Amino acid sequence: MSKDTRAQGTLAAEPPAASPASAAAPAARATESLLEQLWSYGVLSPLDYHFARSLAALGGADDETVFCAALASRAVQLGHVCLDLTHIGDVRFAERQAQVAGAARAELRCPEPQWLLAALRASPLCSDGSRATPLVLDSQGRLYLQRYASHERELARALLARAVPAAGVDLAQLGQGLRRFASPSGPGGDALSALELAGAVAALQRLAVICGGPGTGKTTTVVKILALLVERALEETRGRDGTRSTASAPLGILLLAPTGKAAQRLAGSVAQGLATLELSDSVRAAIPAQASTIHRALGGGRGASGRFWHDTDNPLPADLVVVDEVSMVDLVLLRQLLSALRPEARLILLGDKDQLASVEAGAILGDIYDADAARSWSSDFAARVLAATGRAPAASLAEPGLADCLVSLEQSHRYAADSGIGRLARAIQRGAAEQAFEVLESGAAGDCQRLEPGARTEGGQLLLEQVAISGYRPFLEAVDPAQKLALLESYRILCAHRHGPEGVELLNAQVERWLASAGLIEPTGRFYENRPLLITRNDYGLGLFNGDVGLVVRDGPRLRVCFRGAEGLRFLSPSRLPPHETVFAMTVHKSQGSEFDAVSLVLPQRPSPLISRELVYTAVTRARRRVEVFAPREVIRAAVSRAIQRASGLHDALWRA
């Protein structure tokens, strides 16, 4: 269904008309009137409205086509890849519609899908993609803006083309490497461990999709896979006398992530993983110590067109590309990355399909990953694994394909499976609101609980104020800047919204007042000692990235901002900083990829389409030891019951092909 939980209000469908012929003129007038109503009530953005009007100016566009064009544009702004016309009555468009008076909102009715589909099929501005038109309508009733139809089609084609066996794999050598880096699981060692399967997929296929929740060891697994592949490449580059035949790196590796902060975390995790392995100096040197954003690796915008430097004609110089936090990558960016890979290059995608999707259009990892397919293997893949390890997964597919590229990691090392956080996370994943309540309110777990937003202590202090002061006191009372930064990452307040009573902006101001009243800070100016900062825009010159956290510290008579860098602490003048904000509280979206000892999740007083199962799951799984959820029961119930469903044809293109 083309339902988006980030927006509010529903357009209901009109009752079926008697016949297309008798109702054609009234339907057209109703459509024209509706477009103007949606615009006047603020349901459409200026971009949506004027895009539709520009199509009308081309000529030959009936009112239904213009109306659908506006909704297709609105759908993209809300994160959909397309507009699902078969469920247009369920489409949610904008928060502003909830503010429309009941009588006026009753007038906002969509024409029946049959009228819209018929009009689009007859329109010269719409096609099935076989000719160049601004709108594309597929056989399933999904309406695309032409650009997004092209991106989706090309991404599906690129993924399927890469979901094939890698050439020239020495199976005996692969088996030796897997035995070194992973031990068999199960009694007698008859079953392959998840790590062995992941290593086999990454070595045997040109595409590997490794999916798992927080703390399941995705990065640790990839480090071992990299070591395995580098060792194999080194063996291939040795001469007959045992010496290296080339001085260059045996395998060109790129570590990528969607944001600068995620790239830093990836590089740090890889470094930690390498420190635990016994490797030769040549293997260790061949695995990169740095990671980059996808945008930076592709070369940024090129001129007014915004094209990247690396593309099909100028591919990335890499034999293996690893992309972390794929759930945060949008459709367009992933398509651009795949178009810049050499045909023979390997691609490893890492992510958690249950986390929040990208801010831009698409829910890529959810479309690529199929739970049933992840438990299936082709006979060809199983035979190659058997030849390498002496053991093999059960084969249930006759033909090799994308299913051979999927691996799921289940066991979390961030928190125990039977912990309150672990049980709460699983209940949220399943959409089981009552089970989530049982964990939050039974008190038996001890590491997670629900609290009413306005709850107070016996002394009259807000519980959130008490928890926030307790959570931030350790970093505020520490003296050493490095220790301060480390302690700052032990606790965080997470919010669903930026604005409003329970939003980031007001909560940051409230926490400042609470800490000042407790004598822990003195917020006398814009920059004050112990103010935590979150960078909101990349600055490649300074090496600061969106999501980096710093802290204002006193350096003699001056105030400077301290950041943790690859080679230790960095101190910068406040005047040099790129755009930033205070970060006692942050949005759940901004917290993706981070982890804290304790988290306080503050949700609005009333259910909101912004609050979904994915948002609550992402927030809860940021915590290692303790979670407090400040929210009414009905808000949690609504959130856990609501899953984000973004309209897209990518899953069908991949799995029905």
Short mmCIF file of all heavy atoms in Angstrom, two decimals, residues 365-429:
data_model
loop_
_atom_site.label_atom_id
_atom_site.label_comp_id
_atom_site.label_asym_id
_atom_site.label_seq_id
_atom_site.Cartn_x
_atom_site.Cartn_y
_atom_site.Cartn_z
N LEU A 365 16.81 -1.14 1.66
CA LEU A 365 17.17 -2.43 2.24
C LEU A 365 15.96 -3.32 2.41
O LEU A 365 16.03 -4.53 2.19
CB LEU A 365 17.88 -2.21 3.58
CG LEU A 365 18.57 -3.44 4.17
CD1 LEU A 365 19.58 -4.02 3.20
CD2 LEU A 365 19.25 -3.10 5.49
N GLY A 366 14.82 -2.73 2.78
CA GLY A 366 13.60 -3.52 2.90
C GLY A 366 13.15 -4.09 1.57
O GLY A 366 12.57 -5.19 1.52
N ASP A 367 13.41 -3.38 0.47
CA ASP A 367 13.05 -3.89 -0.85
C ASP A 367 14.03 -4.97 -1.33
O ASP A 367 13.62 -5.95 -1.98
CB ASP A 367 13.03 -2.74 -1.87
CG ASP A 367 11.80 -1.86 -1.73
OD1 ASP A 367 10.78 -2.35 -1.21
OD2 ASP A 367 11.86 -0.69 -2.13
N ILE A 368 15.31 -4.80 -1.04
CA ILE A 368 16.31 -5.77 -1.50
C ILE A 368 16.23 -7.06 -0.69
O ILE A 368 16.31 -8.16 -1.23
CB ILE A 368 17.73 -5.17 -1.40
CG1 ILE A 368 17.87 -3.96 -2.33
CG2 ILE A 368 18.78 -6.23 -1.73
CD1 ILE A 368 19.19 -3.24 -2.18
N TYR A 369 16.08 -6.91 0.62
CA TYR A 369 16.10 -8.08 1.51
C TYR A 369 14.72 -8.72 1.56
O TYR A 369 13.72 -8.05 1.77
CB TYR A 369 16.53 -7.66 2.91
CG TYR A 369 16.73 -8.82 3.86
CD1 TYR A 369 17.97 -9.45 3.95
CD2 TYR A 369 15.68 -9.28 4.64
CE1 TYR A 369 18.14 -10.52 4.82
CE2 TYR A 369 15.85 -10.35 5.50
CZ TYR A 369 17.08 -10.96 5.59
OH TYR A 369 17.26 -12.02 6.45
N ASP A 370 14.66 -10.02 1.37
CA ASP A 370 13.42 -10.79 1.46
C ASP A 370 13.64 -11.90 2.48
O ASP A 370 14.54 -12.74 2.31
CB ASP A 370 13.05 -11.36 0.09
CG ASP A 370 11.72 -12.08 0.12
OD1 ASP A 370 11.69 -13.25 0.54
OD2 ASP A 370 10.71 -11.47 -0.29
N ALA A 371 12.83 -11.91 3.55
CA ALA A 371 13.07 -12.84 4.66
C ALA A 371 12.97 -14.29 4.22
O ALA A 371 13.77 -15.13 4.66
CB ALA A 371 12.07 -12.55 5.78
N ASP A 372 12.00 -14.61 3.38
CA ASP A 372 11.87 -16.00 2.92
C ASP A 372 13.06 -16.39 2.03
O ASP A 372 13.61 -17.50 2.16
CB ASP A 372 10.57 -16.17 2.15
CG ASP A 372 9.35 -16.03 3.05
OD1 ASP A 372 9.47 -16.32 4.24
OD2 ASP A 372 8.29 -15.61 2.54
N ALA A 373 13.45 -15.49 1.14
CA ALA A 373 14.57 -15.79 0.25
C ALA A 373 15.87 -15.95 1.03
O ALA A 373 16.75 -16.72 0.62
CB ALA A 373 14.72 -14.70 -0.80
N ALA A 374 16.01 -15.23 2.15
CA ALA A 374 17.25 -15.30 2.93
C ALA A 374 17.45 -16.66 3.57
O ALA A 374 18.55 -16.98 4.03
CB ALA A 374 17.23 -14.22 4.02
N ARG A 375 16.40 -17.47 3.61
CA ARG A 375 16.52 -18.83 4.15
C ARG A 375 16.62 -19.88 3.04
O ARG A 375 16.54 -21.08 3.30
CB ARG A 375 15.31 -19.14 5.04
CG ARG A 375 15.25 -18.28 6.29
CD ARG A 375 14.13 -18.75 7.21
NE ARG A 375 12.81 -18.46 6.67
CZ ARG A 375 12.15 -17.32 6.91
NH1 ARG A 375 12.70 -16.39 7.68
NH2 ARG A 375 10.95 -17.13 6.39
N SER A 376 16.77 -19.41 1.81
CA SER A 376 16.80 -20.32 0.66
C SER A 376 18.14 -20.19 -0.07
O SER A 376 18.71 -19.11 -0.14
CB SER A 376 15.66 -20.00 -0.30
OG SER A 376 14.41 -20.00 0.36
N TRP A 377 18.59 -21.30 -0.62
CA TRP A 377 19.85 -21.32 -1.36
C TRP A 377 19.67 -22.16 -2.62
O TRP A 377 18.93 -23.13 -2.63
CB TRP A 377 20.98 -21.91 -0.50
CG TRP A 377 21.10 -21.25 0.84
CD1 TRP A 377 20.55 -21.68 2.01
CD2 TRP A 377 21.77 -20.03 1.13
NE1 TRP A 377 20.85 -20.80 3.02
CE2 TRP A 377 21.60 -19.77 2.52
CE3 TRP A 377 22.51 -19.13 0.37
CZ2 TRP A 377 22.13 -18.67 3.15
CZ3 TRP A 377 23.04 -18.01 1.00
CH2 TRP A 377 22.85 -17.79 2.36
N SER A 378 20.40 -21.79 -3.65
CA SER A 378 20.34 -22.58 -4.87
C SER A 378 21.25 -23.80 -4.74
O SER A 378 22.19 -23.83 -3.94
CB SER A 378 20.78 -21.73 -6.06
OG SER A 378 22.18 -21.49 -6.02
N SER A 379 20.98 -24.80 -5.55
CA SER A 379 21.81 -26.01 -5.53
C SER A 379 23.23 -25.69 -5.98
O SER A 379 24.20 -26.29 -5.50
CB SER A 379 21.19 -27.08 -6.43
OG SER A 379 20.98 -26.57 -7.75
N ASP A 380 23.39 -24.72 -6.88
CA ASP A 380 24.72 -24.33 -7.34
C ASP A 380 25.53 -23.73 -6.20
O ASP A 380 26.69 -24.10 -5.98
CB ASP A 380 24.59 -23.32 -8.48
CG ASP A 380 25.94 -22.76 -8.91
OD1 ASP A 380 26.67 -23.47 -9.61
OD2 ASP A 380 26.25 -21.61 -8.53
N PHE A 381 24.92 -22.80 -5.43
CA PHE A 381 25.63 -22.18 -4.32
C PHE A 381 25.95 -23.23 -3.25
O PHE A 381 27.07 -23.28 -2.72
CB PHE A 381 24.78 -21.07 -3.72
CG PHE A 381 25.41 -20.38 -2.53
CD1 PHE A 381 26.35 -19.38 -2.70
CD2 PHE A 381 25.09 -20.76 -1.24
CE1 PHE A 381 26.94 -18.75 -1.62
CE2 PHE A 381 25.67 -20.15 -0.14
CZ PHE A 381 26.60 -19.14 -0.34
N ALA A 382 24.98 -24.08 -2.92
CA ALA A 382 25.20 -25.10 -1.90
C ALA A 382 26.34 -26.04 -2.30
O ALA A 382 27.16 -26.45 -1.46
CB ALA A 382 23.92 -25.89 -1.67
N ALA A 383 26.44 -26.36 -3.59
CA ALA A 383 27.50 -27.25 -4.05
C ALA A 383 28.87 -26.61 -3.90
O ALA A 383 29.84 -27.27 -3.51
CB ALA A 383 27.25 -27.63 -5.52
N ARG A 384 28.96 -25.32 -4.18
CA ARG A 384 30.24 -24.63 -4.04
C ARG A 384 30.65 -24.51 -2.56
O ARG A 384 31.82 -24.66 -2.21
CB ARG A 384 30.18 -23.26 -4.69
CG ARG A 384 30.21 -23.33 -6.22
CD ARG A 384 30.19 -21.95 -6.85
NE ARG A 384 28.89 -21.29 -6.69
CZ ARG A 384 28.72 -20.00 -6.49
NH1 ARG A 384 29.77 -19.20 -6.42
NH2 ARG A 384 27.51 -19.48 -6.37
N VAL A 385 29.68 -24.25 -1.68
CA VAL A 385 29.98 -24.19 -0.25
C VAL A 385 30.41 -25.56 0.26
O VAL A 385 31.34 -25.68 1.06
CB VAL A 385 28.76 -23.66 0.54
CG1 VAL A 385 29.03 -23.72 2.04
CG2 VAL A 385 28.43 -22.23 0.13
N LEU A 386 29.75 -26.60 -0.20
CA LEU A 386 30.11 -27.97 0.19
C LEU A 386 31.54 -28.29 -0.23
O LEU A 386 32.32 -28.87 0.53
CB LEU A 386 29.13 -28.96 -0.42
CG LEU A 386 29.41 -30.44 -0.14
CD1 LEU A 386 29.27 -30.73 1.35
CD2 LEU A 386 28.44 -31.33 -0.94
N ALA A 387 31.91 -27.91 -1.44
CA ALA A 387 33.26 -28.17 -1.93
C ALA A 387 34.30 -27.41 -1.12
O ALA A 387 35.43 -27.88 -0.95
CB ALA A 387 33.36 -27.78 -3.40
N ALA A 388 33.92 -26.24 -0.59
CA ALA A 388 34.87 -25.43 0.17
C ALA A 388 34.99 -25.87 1.62
O ALA A 388 36.08 -25.89 2.19
CB ALA A 388 34.45 -23.95 0.11
N THR A 389 33.87 -26.23 2.25
CA THR A 389 33.86 -26.45 3.70
C THR A 389 33.56 -27.88 4.11
O THR A 389 33.76 -28.23 5.28
CB THR A 389 32.82 -25.53 4.35
OG1 THR A 389 31.50 -25.95 3.93
CG2 THR A 389 33.03 -24.08 3.97
N GLY A 390 33.05 -28.67 3.20
CA GLY A 390 32.61 -30.01 3.59
C GLY A 390 31.22 -30.00 4.18
O GLY A 390 30.68 -31.06 4.54
N ARG A 391 30.62 -28.85 4.33
CA ARG A 391 29.24 -28.70 4.83
C ARG A 391 28.54 -27.69 3.93
O ARG A 391 29.18 -26.88 3.29
CB ARG A 391 29.25 -28.19 6.27
CG ARG A 391 29.76 -29.23 7.27
CD ARG A 391 30.14 -28.57 8.60
NE ARG A 391 31.33 -27.74 8.44
CZ ARG A 391 31.41 -26.47 8.80
NH1 ARG A 391 30.35 -25.87 9.31
NH2 ARG A 391 32.52 -25.79 8.64
N ALA A 392 27.21 -27.75 3.92
CA ALA A 392 26.50 -26.86 3.01
C ALA A 392 25.10 -26.58 3.54
O ALA A 392 24.52 -27.42 4.24
CB ALA A 392 26.41 -27.46 1.61
N PRO A 393 24.55 -25.41 3.23
CA PRO A 393 23.15 -25.14 3.57
C PRO A 393 22.23 -25.97 2.70
O PRO A 393 22.60 -26.37 1.59
CB PRO A 393 23.00 -23.65 3.27
CG PRO A 393 24.01 -23.38 2.20
CD PRO A 393 25.17 -24.28 2.50
N ALA A 394 21.04 -26.23 3.20
CA ALA A 394 20.09 -27.01 2.42
C ALA A 394 19.64 -26.22 1.20
O ALA A 394 19.25 -25.06 1.30
CB ALA A 394 18.88 -27.37 3.28
N ALA A 395 19.71 -26.85 0.04
CA ALA A 395 19.34 -26.17 -1.21
C ALA A 395 17.86 -26.39 -1.50
O ALA A 395 17.36 -27.50 -1.40
CB ALA A 395 20.18 -26.70 -2.37
N SER A 396 17.16 -25.29 -1.83
CA SER A 396 15.74 -25.39 -2.15
C SER A 396 15.39 -24.67 -3.45
O SER A 396 14.23 -24.66 -3.86
CB SER A 396 14.90 -24.80 -1.01
OG SER A 396 15.25 -23.45 -0.77
N LEU A 397 16.39 -24.06 -4.10
CA LEU A 397 16.15 -23.32 -5.33
C LEU A 397 16.91 -23.97 -6.48
O LEU A 397 18.07 -24.36 -6.33
CB LEU A 397 16.60 -21.86 -5.18
CG LEU A 397 15.94 -21.06 -4.05
CD1 LEU A 397 16.59 -19.68 -3.94
CD2 LEU A 397 14.45 -20.93 -4.28
N ALA A 398 16.24 -24.05 -7.62
CA ALA A 398 16.88 -24.67 -8.78
C ALA A 398 17.87 -23.73 -9.44
O ALA A 398 18.94 -24.16 -9.92
CB ALA A 398 15.82 -25.12 -9.78
N GLU A 399 17.54 -22.44 -9.49
CA GLU A 399 18.36 -21.47 -10.21
C GLU A 399 19.09 -20.54 -9.24
O GLU A 399 18.50 -20.08 -8.26
CB GLU A 399 17.49 -20.64 -11.15
CG GLU A 399 16.82 -21.44 -12.25
CD GLU A 399 17.82 -22.01 -13.23
OE1 GLU A 399 18.89 -21.38 -13.42
OE2 GLU A 399 17.56 -23.08 -13.80
N PRO A 400 20.37 -20.24 -9.49
CA PRO A 400 21.07 -19.24 -8.67
C PRO A 400 20.51 -17.85 -8.93
O PRO A 400 19.95 -17.58 -9.99
CB PRO A 400 22.53 -19.35 -9.14
CG PRO A 400 22.43 -19.91 -10.53
CD PRO A 400 21.22 -20.80 -10.54
N GLY A 401 20.65 -16.98 -7.94
CA GLY A 401 20.13 -15.63 -8.11
C GLY A 401 20.34 -14.80 -6.87
O GLY A 401 21.25 -15.05 -6.06
N LEU A 402 19.48 -13.82 -6.68
CA LEU A 402 19.64 -12.87 -5.58
C LEU A 402 19.55 -13.53 -4.21
O LEU A 402 20.18 -13.08 -3.26
CB LEU A 402 18.58 -11.76 -5.71
CG LEU A 402 18.69 -10.56 -4.75
CD1 LEU A 402 20.05 -9.88 -4.87
CD2 LEU A 402 17.56 -9.57 -5.03
N ALA A 403 18.77 -14.61 -4.09
CA ALA A 403 18.65 -15.30 -2.80
C ALA A 403 20.01 -15.79 -2.30
O ALA A 403 20.24 -15.87 -1.08
CB ALA A 403 17.67 -16.46 -2.91
N ASP A 404 20.92 -16.14 -3.20
CA ASP A 404 22.25 -16.61 -2.81
C ASP A 404 23.11 -15.49 -2.24
O ASP A 404 24.23 -15.76 -1.77
CB ASP A 404 22.97 -17.22 -4.01
CG ASP A 404 22.35 -18.54 -4.46
OD1 ASP A 404 21.72 -19.20 -3.61
OD2 ASP A 404 22.48 -18.88 -5.64
N CYS A 405 22.63 -14.26 -2.28
CA CYS A 405 23.42 -13.11 -1.84
C CYS A 405 23.00 -12.58 -0.48
O CYS A 405 23.59 -11.61 0.02
CB CYS A 405 23.31 -11.97 -2.86
SG CYS A 405 23.81 -12.42 -4.52
N LEU A 406 21.97 -13.18 0.15
CA LEU A 406 21.42 -12.66 1.40
C LEU A 406 21.88 -13.46 2.60
O LEU A 406 21.85 -14.70 2.58
CB LEU A 406 19.89 -12.68 1.35
CG LEU A 406 19.20 -12.01 0.16
CD1 LEU A 406 17.69 -12.06 0.35
CD2 LEU A 406 19.67 -10.58 -0.01
N VAL A 407 22.29 -12.75 3.66
CA VAL A 407 22.68 -13.39 4.92
C VAL A 407 22.05 -12.60 6.06
O VAL A 407 22.06 -11.36 6.05
CB VAL A 407 24.21 -13.42 5.11
CG1 VAL A 407 24.57 -14.13 6.41
CG2 VAL A 407 24.89 -14.09 3.94
N SER A 408 21.52 -13.30 7.05
CA SER A 408 20.93 -12.65 8.22
C SER A 408 21.72 -13.01 9.46
O SER A 408 22.01 -14.18 9.71
CB SER A 408 19.47 -13.10 8.38
OG SER A 408 18.90 -12.50 9.52
N LEU A 409 22.10 -11.99 10.24
CA LEU A 409 22.76 -12.18 11.53
C LEU A 409 21.73 -11.90 12.62
O LEU A 409 21.12 -10.83 12.64
CB LEU A 409 23.96 -11.24 11.67
CG LEU A 409 25.03 -11.34 10.58
CD1 LEU A 409 26.16 -10.34 10.84
CD2 LEU A 409 25.61 -12.74 10.50
N GLU A 410 21.55 -12.83 13.54
CA GLU A 410 20.45 -12.73 14.50
C GLU A 410 20.89 -12.41 15.92
O GLU A 410 20.19 -11.69 16.64
CB GLU A 410 19.67 -14.07 14.52
CG GLU A 410 19.15 -14.51 13.16
CD GLU A 410 18.05 -13.61 12.63
OE1 GLU A 410 17.47 -12.85 13.43
OE2 GLU A 410 17.77 -13.66 11.41
N GLN A 411 22.02 -12.93 16.36
CA GLN A 411 22.40 -12.81 17.77
C GLN A 411 23.03 -11.45 18.06
O GLN A 411 24.04 -11.08 17.48
CB GLN A 411 23.38 -13.91 18.16
CG GLN A 411 23.75 -13.90 19.64
CD GLN A 411 24.70 -15.02 20.01
OE1 GLN A 411 25.04 -15.84 19.16
NE2 GLN A 411 25.11 -15.06 21.26
N SER A 412 22.41 -10.70 19.00
CA SER A 412 22.93 -9.38 19.37
C SER A 412 23.95 -9.50 20.49
O SER A 412 23.74 -10.23 21.46
CB SER A 412 21.79 -8.46 19.81
OG SER A 412 22.30 -7.22 20.24
N HIS A 413 25.07 -8.77 20.33
CA HIS A 413 26.09 -8.72 21.37
C HIS A 413 26.03 -7.41 22.14
O HIS A 413 26.79 -7.19 23.07
CB HIS A 413 27.48 -8.90 20.74
CG HIS A 413 27.60 -10.14 19.91
ND1 HIS A 413 27.69 -11.39 20.46
CD2 HIS A 413 27.60 -10.32 18.56
CE1 HIS A 413 27.77 -12.31 19.49
NE2 HIS A 413 27.71 -11.67 18.33
N ARG A 414 25.10 -6.51 21.74
CA ARG A 414 24.93 -5.24 22.45
C ARG A 414 24.17 -5.46 23.75
O ARG A 414 24.43 -4.82 24.76
CB ARG A 414 24.20 -4.23 21.57
CG ARG A 414 24.00 -2.88 22.22
CD ARG A 414 23.41 -1.86 21.26
NE ARG A 414 24.30 -1.59 20.14
CZ ARG A 414 24.04 -0.72 19.16
NH1 ARG A 414 22.89 -0.06 19.17
NH2 ARG A 414 24.88 -0.54 18.18
N TYR A 415 23.17 -6.34 23.71
CA TYR A 415 22.40 -6.68 24.90
C TYR A 415 21.98 -8.14 24.79
O TYR A 415 21.88 -8.70 23.70
CB TYR A 415 21.16 -5.78 25.04
CG TYR A 415 20.46 -5.50 23.74
CD1 TYR A 415 19.66 -6.45 23.11
CD2 TYR A 415 20.62 -4.27 23.11
CE1 TYR A 415 19.04 -6.20 21.91
CE2 TYR A 415 19.99 -4.01 21.90
CZ TYR A 415 19.20 -4.98 21.31
OH TYR A 415 18.58 -4.73 20.12
N ALA A 416 21.77 -8.78 25.94
CA ALA A 416 21.42 -10.20 25.95
C ALA A 416 20.03 -10.41 25.36
O ALA A 416 19.15 -9.55 25.46
CB ALA A 416 21.45 -10.72 27.39
N ALA A 417 19.83 -11.58 24.74
CA ALA A 417 18.56 -11.86 24.09
C ALA A 417 17.41 -11.85 25.09
O ALA A 417 16.28 -11.48 24.75
CB ALA A 417 18.63 -13.21 23.38
N ASP A 418 17.68 -12.26 26.34
CA ASP A 418 16.62 -12.31 27.35
C ASP A 418 16.55 -11.04 28.19
O ASP A 418 15.81 -10.98 29.18
CB ASP A 418 16.81 -13.53 28.26
CG ASP A 418 18.16 -13.51 28.99
OD1 ASP A 418 19.01 -12.65 28.67
OD2 ASP A 418 18.35 -14.36 29.87
N SER A 419 17.32 -10.02 27.83
CA SER A 419 17.24 -8.75 28.56
C SER A 419 15.95 -8.04 28.21
O SER A 419 15.26 -8.36 27.23
CB SER A 419 18.43 -7.85 28.19
OG SER A 419 18.33 -7.43 26.84
N GLY A 420 15.59 -7.04 29.03
CA GLY A 420 14.38 -6.28 28.74
C GLY A 420 14.47 -5.58 27.41
O GLY A 420 13.51 -5.56 26.63
N ILE A 421 15.65 -4.99 27.10
CA ILE A 421 15.82 -4.28 25.83
C ILE A 421 15.68 -5.26 24.66
O ILE A 421 15.04 -4.96 23.65
CB ILE A 421 17.18 -3.57 25.79
CG1 ILE A 421 17.24 -2.47 26.87
CG2 ILE A 421 17.42 -2.96 24.42
CD1 ILE A 421 18.60 -1.80 26.98
N GLY A 422 16.27 -6.44 24.79
CA GLY A 422 16.18 -7.43 23.73
C GLY A 422 14.74 -7.87 23.50
O GLY A 422 14.28 -7.97 22.35
N ARG A 423 14.01 -8.15 24.59
CA ARG A 423 12.62 -8.58 24.44
C ARG A 423 11.74 -7.45 23.92
O ARG A 423 10.83 -7.68 23.12
CB ARG A 423 12.10 -9.09 25.79
CG ARG A 423 12.71 -10.44 26.18
CD ARG A 423 12.06 -11.04 27.39
NE ARG A 423 12.45 -10.34 28.61
CZ ARG A 423 11.61 -9.85 29.49
NH1 ARG A 423 10.31 -9.94 29.31
NH2 ARG A 423 12.05 -9.25 30.58
N LEU A 424 12.00 -6.22 24.37
CA LEU A 424 11.24 -5.07 23.88
C LEU A 424 11.48 -4.86 22.39
O LEU A 424 10.53 -4.62 21.63
CB LEU A 424 11.63 -3.82 24.67
CG LEU A 424 10.96 -2.51 24.25
CD1 LEU A 424 9.44 -2.62 24.38
CD2 LEU A 424 11.50 -1.35 25.10
N ALA A 425 12.72 -4.96 21.95
CA ALA A 425 13.04 -4.76 20.53
C ALA A 425 12.33 -5.80 19.68
O ALA A 425 11.78 -5.48 18.62
CB ALA A 425 14.55 -4.84 20.32
N ARG A 426 12.31 -7.06 20.11
CA ARG A 426 11.65 -8.10 19.33
C ARG A 426 10.13 -7.89 19.28
O ARG A 426 9.50 -8.12 18.26
CB ARG A 426 11.99 -9.49 19.89
CG ARG A 426 13.43 -9.91 19.67
CD ARG A 426 13.61 -11.39 19.93
NE ARG A 426 13.29 -11.74 21.31
CZ ARG A 426 14.13 -11.62 22.34
NH1 ARG A 426 15.35 -11.16 22.14
NH2 ARG A 426 13.76 -11.96 23.56
N ALA A 427 9.55 -7.44 20.39
CA ALA A 427 8.11 -7.17 20.41
C ALA A 427 7.77 -6.04 19.45
O ALA A 427 6.77 -6.10 18.72
CB ALA A 427 7.66 -6.81 21.83
N ILE A 428 8.59 -5.01 19.42
CA ILE A 428 8.36 -3.89 18.51
C ILE A 428 8.49 -4.36 17.06
O ILE A 428 7.67 -4.01 16.20
CB ILE A 428 9.34 -2.74 18.80
CG1 ILE A 428 9.06 -2.15 20.19
CG2 ILE A 428 9.22 -1.64 17.74
CD1 ILE A 428 10.14 -1.19 20.67
N GLN A 429 9.51 -5.16 16.77
CA GLN A 429 9.69 -5.69 15.41
C GLN A 429 8.46 -6.44 14.92
O GLN A 429 8.08 -6.34 13.76
CB GLN A 429 10.90 -6.63 15.36
CG GLN A 429 12.25 -5.93 15.33
CD GLN A 429 13.38 -6.94 15.35
OE1 GLN A 429 13.49 -7.75 16.27
NE2 GLN A 429 14.22 -6.91 14.34
#
